Amino acid sequence: MKVLLSWIREFVDVPEPAEDIGKLLSVRGLALEGLESHGDDVVMDFDVTANRPDCLSMIGIAREIATAYNRPLTVPAAPPLTIGASVAVTIEAPELCPRYAGAVADVTVGPSPQWLQDRLTACGIRSISNVVDITNYVLLELGQPMHAFDLAKLGGGAIVVRRAKSGESITTLDGKVRSLTPEMLVIADASRAQAIGGVMGGADSEVSAVTKRIVFEAAYFKPSSVRATSKALGLKTDASTRFERGMDVTAPARAMARACQLLEQIGAGKASGTIQDVYPAPQPAASLVLERARLPGLLGMDVPDANVERILRSLGFTVAPHTGGPYGDGHPSDGWTVTTPSWRVDIKRQVDLIEEVGRHHGFEHLPSTFPGVQQAPASSDPRIVRDRRVRNALLGMGFSEAITFAFVEAIAAEPFLAGDSPVALANPLSEKFAVMRPSLLPGLIDAVSHNRRHGRRDVQLFEIGTRFSPRAETRGVGFAWTGLATADHWSGARREVDFFDLKGVVEQLAAVSLVTLTFVAADVPYLVKGRSAAIAVNGSTIGVCGLLDSGVGDRRDLPSGDAVYVGELNLDALTAAAPAETLRATPLPRYPWVVRDLSMLVDDTLSAGTVRGTIRSAAPVTLSEVREFDRYQGTGIPDGKISLSFRLTFQSPERTLTDEEVQAGMQHIIDALTRDLAATQR
Amino acid sequence: MSPIDTSIGPDRARELFRAELADVRTDAELQALRMRWVGRKGSWVAAFMEALATATPEQKKAFGRGANELKNEVEAAITEREAALAATRQPANAVDITLPGRRPAFGHRHPLSLIRDEVGAIFTRLGYQVLEGPEIEDDYHNFEALNMPEEHPARDMQDTLYLAEPLRIGAGQPLTLLRTHTSAMQIRHMEQHAPPVRLVAIGPVYRKDNLDLTHTPMFHQVEGLVVGKGVTLADLKGTLAAMAEALFGTGIGIRFRPSFFPYTEPSAEVDIQCIKCKGSGCSMCKRTGWIEILGSGMVHPAVFEAVGYDPNEVTGFAFGMGVERVALLKWGAEDIRLFYENDLRFLEQFGL
């Protein structure tokens, strides 16, 4: 809200410089957004919060300044108009328009005097003609939106306030044709809509150079109705902004009197002196009880009674001691009965009064205290600790943490949907943010692509975040790795990242989470078949890892030829499988272990997993670990065969194993491999 | 190197020796020097001894002592130099320790993640539980229960992103929107738990804001909520003052500016003293000395009523702060979009 300092000073004696006024008001609830000089004057731009439509006026801002400086406020008073025959007004929709006032005036349309034009211009309103300027002047001064109709253009010379008929339309002052619906309120003449109530006037009855008689309108329109209409039409005006936040239902008569006074003052015409004011159900002033004890109870600071009363009265409340409290009549007052001024539509509860007192007493007087503790704090979301563990593990493995937008382009999400429909937004910011990510990988791929295109060769990134499907939100971790697996060093050979680097990362995440994962060949649209694995725990798939399909990469502008390994795990499922609650310590073994190496020649179609499985099932219970330590194919190995070497560790918690029993166990394993897998020992 | 010539006498020879010793750099040179001066045959000392054998008694007397002194000095000096060289000699298996080390890999924390953790730690220390919640919400938890019924003008304050199709996940209302603030989580918590409450909810929130230097359509929020008997606005001030000092440094003051939020009454916007100029006024704080950091207030009674708390029995405070805003201020970053590009050159500035 732009206000003119000279205009404010008509209502409150505040000789302080604008900067000082702005500084004080900023800590009283009206933040100063801007300050610019306008000739000898100063325009102050205040940020008025949505709950204070009364401050969208000179008088409203002046009242706040008067209270802040503890100075009297002079309200502009025009001689009241008499109620009487003026223009016929019928309200057919009192639920949308509880009050409508009209007054007729004879006018000579022309330009406004310079001072009036200047004031409007300074406050950001274009001067149009003396009659229209008056309506805008009253809007700025008192906050009450007004309108002027050319009476000659009103069919039947009467005003009907009604809902629009279906199919009805109107050409508004901005020259646009607007289709109306019965939810919208119109100001009509005998036959058709001449204005959209509280939003904008119609072009047909617009005041023009040849207008001789006008009807001033000052009304109260229901906030929700104006808001809905303004939204439906996509039409926001100075009037609609005020009406939708709630205007002063008592203001129309005062505003009308002021408009008529100004009309004569600037020689623009002569008002009839009467007003047709239709207000069938006057609203009583609201009153509230302000309990004395509640003030320090909510604010945590004491405000002297005199200050409570001074602040409220200065803001327009009436204040009387309240005696009907818990102690009954006759006891000392326990607070105040406070009657709310009609313009303070935001005051509904006691707390609203406490805020008024608190802010004008000054939040700078608040002491710094701490809330008392009545019980031990409850524990935090367990995901925080879990995520931290996974995050630390990945950081320790060289991955940097990424945070990407949770919405992605539809085409980027598509390969990751796994048969689900995407969770799409109705009103995305742009196509780049159209759907909620079904996976963390689209965002990570874009981040890898960004880094690669900015000259970064080696990229290791991970993200922990939410994935969205029509069935659930799940927390996951995604990771991506491209470039070197080993840091460049003068001492040795470089190696590009491969499948086993990534699989190792997954295996380490399993280790830090105390779960056992299994890997089977994966078939997903975004990974290369034969270089990707589905990751399962207790038989259910909780993620994948592998080489990114080059087509998917190309579509995200990855440099062609880049090998990007990616993986993703459902952290919620991983946590569910972890034995955190039932974890028990196992004593360290007291007897030595025995290690045996075993090299077998097997068909190269056999997976190491199969061979390991056969070893495990044939082995005695004392086999505690099986580890592949060599895989060889080539010179000395027959075609179609591979040599697999395992290191087997035997150990018993109860006794020292003998050579004989370990040898017997080994023989049993070799027999099973020979029999079941046609393997031969090397 | 001068040829061996005993006629110059032991004193002159000693000077020669000292000069030659000064040039010795290696073991090999030292060995050569030893042979030349005290070797059994053909050395300076041997030559003097031979000369001594054929000398007259006067001559013997004249330089016999000098020759012996030369011999002793040469041997002592060589032994000393030998020890000195040994002390500086690299062991046989020495490495060049000036070559760069083989660094085990480690990644870098995302700055927003660092702030999330730091704020979480501050409030954990102050006895709060830290919670996270769903990001897709229903209208009730995001707006209505927070005193923002349909048609409330305050809904315009946060431009909302809606789902194309409502989702039905679990019981309750269909989920229709992306949460515009973590306040939705407060409602969910209070619905399930009786007071007292002492929590911070941290996580991403979404608004239909165009990307620019200070806005992104997704950002992170920390929301605090304390409910109990006798909780006051002064308690909020003390709490936020403690947080500001913990986050931005000892001595950073705060101030409350009255404001409006539908879910708090009274409401206050909170400024911290400008961390650059410490309040004296600079370009960063637009010469006001203050920088807005968060919104806060006393929980509105309508919010308590929505979750079944009795506003006559309990009071509470709430605050909401943008993680990105803290990060921008704390590290003097100028473009919020950097946080979402995940450029390693940026991330690597933030350690672990």
Side-chain angles (χ1 to χ4, degrees), chain B residues 126-332:
Chain B
L126 291 175
Y128 291 59
Q129 59 179 149
V130 184
L131 298 179
E132 298 179 355
E135 294 167 41
I136 294 184
E137 263 298 353
D138 57 41
D139 188 88
Y140 179 79
H141 288 93
N142 194 74
F143 289 124
E144 213 176 314
L146 286 156
N147 200 28
M148 283 186 281
E150 196 81 45
E151 297 303 323
H152 194 290
R155 286 201 180 194
D156 291 348
M157 289 163 68
Q158 306 173 352
D159 234 337
T160 311
L161 288 161
Y162 291 95
L163 299 186
E165 302 277 345
L167 295 186
R168 290 207 161 272
I169 297 176
Q173 281 195 4
L175 307 176
T176 54
L177 50 86
L178 302 184
R179 63 176 178 189
T180 59
H181 45 197
T182 40
S183 313
M185 188 55 209
Q186 299 182 1
I187 299 298
R188 291 194 176 273
H189 183 84
M190 287 192 284
E191 282 174 342
Q192 302 291 324
H193 302 86
V197 173
R198 220 176 163 93
L199 66 85
V200 287
I202 307 185
V205 299
Y206 304 88
R207 291 183 198 173
K208 199 178 174 187
D209 285 333
N210 279 304
L211 276 98
D212 60 28
L213 287 177
T214 52
H215 294 90
T216 45
M218 175 179 116
F219 60 99
H220 293 76
Q221 219 179 31
V222 179
E223 187 102 3
L225 175 72
V226 172
V227 182
K229 281 189 193 298
V231 177
T232 68
L233 191 62
D235 292 338
L236 173 63
K237 192 175 181 180
T239 301
L240 294 179
M243 181 196 74
E245 284 209 309
L247 270 181
F248 296 105
T250 311
I252 291 291
I254 63 165
R255 72 166 179 182
F256 276 28
R257 279 183 295 105
S259 188
F260 167 69
F261 305 106
Y263 29 88
T264 49
E265 189 79 23
S267 302
E269 275 176 306
V270 178
D271 298 337
I272 56 163
Q273 248 166 359
C274 179
I275 50 177
K276 199 166 156 194
C277 65
K278 308 283 184 232
S280 60
C282 67
S283 61
M284 186 175 174
C285 56
K286 293 179 192 141
R287 273 166 301 281
T288 63
W290 297 95
I291 292 178
E292 187 185 325
I293 180 92
L294 59 84
S296 67
M298 300 304 293
V299 179
H300 197 287
V303 174
F304 284 146
E305 285 159 7
V307 297
Y309 286 12
D310 182 354
N312 292 312
E313 284 294 313
V314 292
T315 54
F317 64 67
F319 59 86
M321 178 173 74
V323 173
E324 281 79 353
R325 179 139 183 81
V326 173
L328 288 172
L329 287 175
K330 198 176 162 83
W331 289 309

Side-chain angles (χ1 to χ4, degrees), chain A residues 180-194:
Chain A
L180 306 173
T181 64
E183 285 77 47
M184 299 173 182
L185 185 78
V186 296
I187 316 304
D189 59 15
S191 56
R192 59 206 179 100
Q194 294 288 359

